[in-house]
Each structure stands twice: as structure tokens, then as C-alpha cells.
Amino acid sequence: MSIKVLHIIDSLLTGGAETIAVNTFNALNRQQDVEAYLCATRIEGPLKENIEKRSNYIFLRKKYSIDIRALTRLYSFIKRNDIKIIHAHTTSFFITVFIKLKFLNTKVVWHNHTGANINLSGWRLLFLKLCSNIFHTVINVNEELNSWSKNKLNASSTVVLNNFSELTNNSRVTKLKGNSTENIVCVAGLRPEKDHLNLLAAFSKILDGFNDVSLHIIGKNYKNKYSSAIEEYIYKHQLSTNVFLYDNCTDIKYILSQASIGVLSSKSEGLPISLLEYGMLGLPVVVTEVGDCTKVVKNSVTGIVVEKENNEALFEGVLQLLEGKTKAKLMGQNLKILVTENYSSSAYVDFLRTLYKSINECNNKK
């Protein structure tokens, strides 16, 4: 008999946690012993087209923090499919409180993707800590988050599970703009922790010595103060002919196939999916020393690691790849081997199957 598990995510926009939720749902449904379901609570988005088993998907159209209509739909879905395990990703943990109140025997797994959570304080931390009393297991994407979860939350257990990457979307829609020979790509939604302003400052210095290079930023534009600051920087420094913003894209495989270098300039991370995607395509990379980036990128072996919030260091890292193409190519090849061997979907799925089985056995004993 298959183990039934519902993955919950707030949106299907093209973020790291959202990508993992959809890829995990798809990968689990290729197994014989797991029946996976997927719920998007608030917003659909481009990742919907990647969902393989639509009959196991529900969109709640949740409009409020406590939305009775959305909860009623979710309760019916859980009851109809006899789901016993809820796997909530990032901020969707809140809705699991109401699920637990309705279905007492349901077990909740919370997937902690967000590296910046280690900086939580005040009422936000207190609220999460209170909610964590219903968590059977917290899955953390790196050791730092796992240590934080053990010290700050009240879950029964905490574990570490490395992210994985699958580039199954083979569409070819997004042609990179401009006519540059060297295309630098940054796949990161326009959020402050991704520190695009630091990247733009570094890229401005690159243009002082290279004319035939462009920067392509792929990720959700939230139309807020931060995204406005990025647009203003591009305009003020006259970068519009070399810097391009693309918003959400799902054809990441095709986009990266057109790139020369992959960069991430983050202030904080868990284990970025974008980095694994760069590796799958064998791109030379420059990343900041945050989260588990340094587990994947060994400096000067599988890429370049630089200090965060330091545009001079970021500039020098990218410059090293632009000027040393032979070594850059070798680092890209090394990264591809490392990602393929250590961040595969098979190991990830096997871990979850074992976890779900142990949780299911606990349910059956009661």
C-alpha cells in the first residue's frame, strides 16, 4: 500500500523552494510505494506547467491568513485522499496548524529552505517556535539551519537533506537579450538577501575593461522598493544596454545553455538550487561564501568563492573567469561532476521514502 503525502507550498513562482516542491512531487510519483500530492495555497505560476500528475494537484486560492473557504477545500482534499503525512515547505507551515487541529493523527514535516531563518528574532521566531510543537520532523537544507532548528524550535526531530536539481523542462522560449559574446547569468528572485546591487556594482567595474559582456538576471520581480532600487541603479549607471531583467522563467536549461558564467551574490542562502542548476550545465561559477555554497564550490577547483557584500571581490572573481577561460572551463566540468555525483534526485527521494515509512509506521502503531 502506497504512503500518501501532501506537499504544500505557498506559490508556484520560480523560486528555489517552489522548484524543490514541484520536483519532489514529480520524483516521488515515479516511485511504486509513495503517492504524492501537491497543494499551492496562494498563487499559481510558471512552475504549474512542470507538474506531471495534475490529478494529484490542488490550488486553494487562499486570500487571507485564515481563509475558511480555502481550509474547507483543503480538508476535503485530505479526507478524500486519506492523506496522513503533510510536508510543508517554507512559510506554508502556518496552514499545517489548522490541518493538525482537524486531523489529529496527521504528521507534519516542515522543510526549512531559507538560510536567512537563522536571523529570525522577536515575534516571528516566537510564532514559528510555537508552531513547531506540531512538527514531527524538520528537514533542513544545510547543517547551519539544522543546528539552529535544534536550538530554537520544538520539533520532535531535525535532519539535514541536501537539495537536488532536475532540469526537465526542455522548452526553448527565453532568448538572452543583447549581442554579447560573454553572457553572465544570475538566477535569483529580486529579494534583498540575493544582493543584486552588489552584483551590479561588480558588473559596472567589469564593463570598464570588457565591452562584449552582458548580465542577465532571471527571477521574480516583486515590484517593490528593492526591485525599484535595482532598476534605478541600472538607469543611473547607464547599464541598460548590458544588463537585462527577465522576471519568472521556466526554461532554465535553455537559458543556461546560452550562458558563459553563472553567479550568485547572496548575503544568505541555504543550498541554492540555482547553483546546482549551473553545475548541471557545467557552467563556471562565482558565488559568495554563504550557506552551503562552499560545500559545492571548492575555490579554484569547482568555481570561485568570494566574500559576501564585497563587490570588489566579486568583480575579481568574475574577472578571473573571463581572463582564464581554459581554467574556467575545467572548473565548470569539475562542478558538473560534483553535482551529478552528490546532488542526484535518487538519493534525495530514497531519504524521503525512508522518512515517510518511519512516520507511517508510527501512525500504524497507534
Side-chain angles (χ1 to χ4, degrees):
M1 185 175 178
S2 295
I3 299 169
K4 296 186 174 184
V5 55
L6 172 63
H7 282 256
I8 304 181
I9 190 75
D10 283 337
S11 85
L12 292 178
L13 301 174
T14 53
E18 293 83 357
T19 300
I20 280 289
V22 172
N23 285 348
T24 302
F25 165 79
N26 288 337
L28 286 170
N29 277 324
R30 299 179 198 126
Q31 310 302 310
Q32 297 297 317
D33 55 352
V34 179
E35 181 78 9
Y37 299 83
L38 179 66
C39 170
T41 64
R42 293 188 297 106
I43 306 170
E44 291 192 305
L47 288 175
K48 183 178 179 180
E49 65 184 72
N50 291 355
I51 295 174
E52 293 176 2
K53 195 170 183 179
R54 293 291 178 90
S55 60
N56 284 17
Y57 166 70
I58 183 173
F59 175 44
L60 297 185
R61 297 179 176 86
K62 184 170 174 276
K63 297 179 179 179
Y64 317 104
S65 295
I66 302 175
D67 189 323
I68 302 302
R69 182 175 294 181
L71 284 171
T72 301
R73 293 188 71 222
L74 182 58
Y75 292 159
S76 297
F77 187 80
I78 292 171
K79 185 176 181 179
R80 183 169 66 251
N81 293 291
D82 194 27
I83 295 166
K84 300 300 184 185
I85 300 174
I86 307 297
H87 188 141
H89 297 261
T90 61
T91 52
S92 65
F93 71 84
F94 179 58
I95 203 168
T96 65
V97 174
F98 301 97
I99 296 172
K100 190 70 174 176
L101 288 172
K102 178 72 172 178
F103 303 100
L104 295 178
N105 291 330
T106 300
K107 300 297 183 184
V108 176
V109 175
W110 181 51
H111 208 135
N112 185 13
H113 296 267
T114 310
N117 278 345
I118 62 172
N119 299 316
L120 282 179
S121 61
W123 71 267
R124 294 179 187 276
L125 176 59
L126 178 61
F127 180 69
L128 177 56
K129 187 170 185 175
L130 288 171
C131 290
S132 71
N133 285 291
I134 68 165
F135 299 164
H136 179 279
T137 304
V138 175
I139 296 175
N140 301 282
V141 298
N142 64 32
E143 288 290 352
E144 186 177 29
L145 283 172
N146 193 49
S147 177
W148 174 84
S149 294
K150 287 179 179 179
N151 293 327
K152 300 293 185 180
L153 304 182
N154 297 325
S156 300
S157 67
T158 67
V159 296
V160 178
L161 177 59
N162 290 330
N163 284 337
F164 77 102
S165 179
E166 279 191 334
L167 291 172
T168 56
N169 188 321
N170 292 313
S171 60
R172 299 166 63 89
V173 177
T174 310
K175 182 74 171 65
L176 293 185
K177 300 171 185 176
N179 299 303
S180 299
T181 302
E182 304 289 346
N183 291 312
I184 301 171
V185 171
C186 175
V187 181
L190 303 191
R191 301 195 303 273
E193 63 268 25
K194 301 300 182 180
D195 205 6
H196 300 83
L197 294 174
N198 183 47
L199 175 58
L200 290 172
F203 185 72
S204 295
K205 296 177 181 179
I206 291 167
L207 288 179
D208 290 338
F210 291 84
N211 295 320
D212 195 22
V213 61
S214 57
L215 174 63
H216 307 266
I217 298 174
I218 317 294
K220 173 66 176 174
N221 186 336
Y222 293 93
K223 307 293 183 182
N224 54 19
K225 288 183 179 180
Y226 179 70
S227 57
S228 294
I230 292 172
E231 291 165 353
E232 288 171 10
Y233 189 101
I234 293 170
Y235 175 78
K236 181 179 178 181
H237 293 82
Q238 300 179 333
L239 299 175
S240 59
T241 57
N242 295 86
V243 177
F244 305 98
L245 304 178
Y246 292 79
D247 212 336
N248 280 310
C249 297
T250 57
D251 55 336
I252 298 299
K253 185 176 181 180
Y254 179 53
I255 289 170
L256 296 184
S257 72
Q258 303 168 64
S260 311
I261 295 170
V263 296
L264 288 172
S265 53
S266 308
K267 296 178 183 179
S268 65
E269 283 287 359
L271 175 56
I273 301 302
S274 300
L275 175 55
L276 302 182
E277 291 171 339
Y278 296 165
M280 290 183 73
L281 270 292
L283 279 183
V285 301
V286 181
V287 299
T288 46
E289 192 175 3
V290 293
D292 264 15
C293 288
T294 53
K295 281 184 65 176
V296 179
V297 182
K298 308 299 181 183
N299 201 26
S300 297
V301 178
T302 56
I304 304 295
V305 181
V306 300
E307 183 182 30
K308 68 177 181 178
E309 300 179 78
N310 185 333
N311 64 71
E312 181 64 28
L314 189 57
F315 156 69
E316 290 176 358
V318 175
L319 185 65
Q320 187 175 334
L321 296 183
L322 288 171
E323 292 182 337
K325 292 185 178 180
T326 300
K327 187 175 181 181
K329 184 177 180 180
L330 178 60
M331 285 190 282
Q333 292 170 345
N334 290 340
L335 180 61
K336 184 174 184 177
I337 292 170
L338 184 145
V339 169
T340 302
E341 292 181 350
N342 296 281
Y343 298 92
S344 69
S345 63
S346 59
Y348 180 97
V349 168
D350 286 345
F351 183 98
L352 286 183
R353 289 167 65 204
T354 301
L355 174 63
Y356 295 156
K357 285 177 183 177
S358 68
I359 294 173
N360 202 47
E361 287 170 3
C362 289
N363 279 339
N364 292 336
K365 288 178 181 178
K366 294 185 177 181

